[in-house]
C-alpha cells in the first residue's frame, strides 16, 4: 500500500502565498510522476502542475509564473504565489508509482486533499 498525505492548505488573502506539501510513503519501488490537481464543486478535477521523473515540470496556463512545483525524493511541493480568488479549490496530490511486488504495473495514488481558500 502507498500512502499520500498533503498539508499546507489554508485561508489567504489575494496576492498572498501558500506552500503545499505532499509526502508519499509505503510500498514504493519507483515514482514515475508526482502532481497537483485541484477541484471546485461542480467542476472536473484539473491538473495544476506535474513533475515527471527525468522530465521538466508542466503547468496549467493560468498558474504559470505564479506556481512552482518541486520534488525532493518522495515529497512534492507546490509553491503558490500571487494567489487569486479563482485559485480557491481543494488541492489533491497524485503519485504515479510502481510497487516492489509488481514493478511493471503503474498505479495512481491520491491524497485526501487540502483546501485552499483565497479571499478577495
Amino acid at each position: 500500500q502507498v500512502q499520500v498525505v498533503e498539508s499546507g492548505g489554508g485561508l489567504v488573502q489575494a496576492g498572498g502565498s501558500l506552500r503545499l506539501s505532499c509526502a508519499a510513503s509505503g510500498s514504493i519501488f519507483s515514482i514515475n510522476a508526482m502532481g497537483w490537481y485541484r477541484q471546485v464543486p461542480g467542476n472536473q478535477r484539473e491538473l495544476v502542475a506535474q513533475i515527471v521523473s527525468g522530465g521538466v515540470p508542466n503547468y496549467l496556463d493560468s498558474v504559470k509564473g505564479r506556481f512552482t512545483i518541486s520534488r525532493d525524493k518522495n515529497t512534492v511541493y507546490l509553491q503558490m504565489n500571487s494567489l487569486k480568488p479563482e485559485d480557491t479549490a481543494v488541492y489533491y496530490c497524485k503519485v504515479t508509482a510502481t510497487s516492489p511486488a509488481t514493478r511493471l504495473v503503474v498505479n495512481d495514488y491520491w491524497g485526501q486533499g487540502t483546501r485552499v481558500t483565497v479571499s478577495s
Side-chain angles (χ1 to χ4, degrees):
Q1 281 287 5
V2 175
Q3 294 78 44
V4 178
V5 179
E6 304 112 330
S7 61
L11 172 65
V12 65
Q13 288 189 332
S17 298
L18 282 175
R19 189 189 195 208
L20 306 183
S21 300
C22 167
S25 62
S27 186
I28 298 172
F29 177 69
S30 67
I31 292 178
N32 293 21
M34 302 183 83
W36 289 95
Y37 291 70
R38 67 187 182 189
Q39 188 170 25
V40 297
N43 288 9
Q44 287 189 335
R45 194 170 294 187
E46 63 178 357
L47 174 65
V48 177
Q50 183 182 49
I51 187 164
V52 177
S53 295
V56 296
N58 60 287
Y59 297 91
L60 181 68
D61 283 348
S62 62
V63 309
K64 286 180 180 177
R66 300 188 296 120
F67 291 11
T68 303
I69 189 170
S70 61
R71 176 185 165 187
D72 180 12
K73 296 182 181 178
N74 289 3
T75 300
V76 66
Y77 305 94
L78 186 67
Q79 178 66 45
M80 304 185 295
N81 298 328
S82 303
L83 282 161
K84 303 176 180 180
E86 51 264 42
D87 295 319
T88 295
V90 177
Y91 284 70
Y92 297 90
C93 177
K94 187 179 83 170
V95 178
T96 302
T98 61
S99 68
T102 56
R103 300 181 182 182
L104 297 180
V105 177
V106 179
N107 290 305
D108 291 332
Y109 303 93
W110 290 90
Q112 78 287 353
T114 184
R115 184 174 300 276
V116 171
T117 303
V118 184
S119 63
S120 57

